[in-house]
Amino acid sequence: MRILFIADAVGVPGRRAVEERLPSLREELQADLVILNGENLADGVGITPKLADRMLASGVDAITLGNHVWRRGEIVPYLKDSERVVRPANLSRRAPGRGLAFVAGADGNEVAVINLLGALFLGPPHSPFEVVDDLIDEARTRTAFIVVDMHAEATSEKVAMARWLDGKVTAVIGTHTHVQTNDARVQPGGTAALTDAGMTGPHDSVIGVEAELAIRQMRTGMPVRFETASGDVRIEGVVVECGADGRATSCEAVRVSVQ
Ligand code: FE2
């Protein structure tokens, strides 16, 4: 099985890149399943039901989220019912939505998709390490194919989670920093890992934002209204190949120029 994970899609450029390029890319990469981190789709922060539906209609099988999950209120009822859009599992137990979803790939196999939020800087109610073992146990009752999106700021947390889950899941993919790391690997136990999958959106920017605006805010310490940049749009992510036992056999970063 080949799983394509697409990194954080940002704003209109990210949405367009997926809509226009994913159908052919999916074929080129022979992906059986596509997972997208979509927490920055709505002008850089959050996601709306309409945007989620558009991504799912473009060949995305499951969407993961992150720290901006609640930025758009209209997503709340959608998350309650959605079986393919997952929010971080280590939020409050009373929060709507799910942190684990089962989606079917093109080859008929079911894949468990888990979304976690890093503890450092993002401050979720529970540590991802506190909840992950039970989630893996639950996932393994149904399938050997398990993909974890570890949405976190700190590389240490993402590397530690990948090591902890080695031999227990198919892949641990880091998201959130929007800068693709150069460490795609299959660990000794058969779990693929990449510390950060990168960004699907405008790379002529400061992680998706118009560079001049981000720099102005940092130089002056004053509030600045951020706008999504537009130049050098790429789809970034990772392709993980695994055998029938769910163990990864290869893990390769993907970077495709779209304009
Ligand atoms: Fe994020």
Side-chain angles (χ1 to χ4, degrees):
M1 169 178 265
R2 286 170 64 83
I3 298 166
L4 168 62
F5 185 100
I6 302 178
D8 314 27
V10 175
V12 173
R15 189 257 297 160
R16 268 201 205 128
V18 172
E19 286 186 323
E20 287 166 18
R21 187 67 173 85
L22 180 59
S24 56
L25 187 64
R26 189 178 169 135
E27 223 162 275
E28 283 162 35
L29 297 174
Q30 296 177 301
D32 298 300
L33 187 98
V34 179
I35 304 167
L36 166 85
N37 183 291
E39 80 137 1
N40 301 117
L41 275 165
D43 294 329
V45 280
I47 187 169
T48 61
K50 192 176 156 196
L51 285 165
D53 284 341
R54 287 178 75 154
M55 294 297 97
L56 294 170
S58 305
V60 171
D61 298 295
I63 298 174
T64 53
L65 299 170
N67 50 306
H68 294 307
V69 53
W70 307 127
R71 279 299 184 101
R72 297 298 188 111
E74 59 265 48
I75 200 66
V76 174
Y78 184 94
L79 283 185
K80 277 185 198 156
D81 298 329
S82 178
E83 301 201 337
R84 294 204 281 160
V85 184
V86 292
R87 47 82 166 162
N90 50 326
L91 301 179
S92 166
R93 286 178 184 88
R94 295 181 189 89
R98 64 185 69 213
L100 160 64
F102 295 93
V103 289
D107 63 351
N109 278 309
E110 196 172 53
V111 177
V113 180
I114 294 170
N115 191 194
L116 295 170
L117 202 54
L120 205 66
F121 300 132
L122 303 178
H126 307 281
S127 158
F129 289 93
E130 209 178 300
V131 305
V132 73
D133 295 354
D134 287 348
L135 288 164
I136 304 300
D137 287 347
E138 189 185 338
R140 288 186 78 93
T141 61
R142 277 176 65 167
T143 181
F145 305 102
I146 305 171
V147 177
V148 176
D149 172 354
M150 176 70 176
H151 194 82
E153 188 80 49
T155 51
S156 57
E157 250 186 302
K158 293 193 261 194
V159 172
M161 184 61 78
R163 288 294 292 262
W164 171 241
L165 296 181
D166 186 23
K168 301 170 187 162
V169 305
T170 306
V172 179
I173 310 298
T175 58
H176 177 71
T177 71
H178 294 190
V179 178
Q180 190 179 73
T181 55
N182 189 21
D183 63 341
R185 64 204 181 275
V186 177
Q187 301 177 114
T191 296
L194 176 62
T195 297
D196 205 286
M199 176 177 75
T200 294
H203 282 257
D204 180 8
S205 68
V206 173
I207 63 168
V209 173
E210 279 286 358
E212 191 267 320
L213 301 176
I215 292 166
R216 193 195 309 161
Q217 191 207 47
M218 290 178 197
R219 291 190 73 225
T220 64
M222 301 293 289
V224 175
R225 193 185 160 84
F226 282 177
E227 274 169 42
T228 303
S230 55
D232 188 15
V233 177
R234 298 177 210 156
I235 292 177
E236 289 188 341
V238 58
V239 174
V240 174
E241 195 169 300
C242 64
D245 58 359
R247 283 171 181 255
T249 50
S250 80
C251 177
E252 278 175 38
V254 171
R255 178 177 286 175
V256 178
S257 195
V258 175
Q259 65 174 27

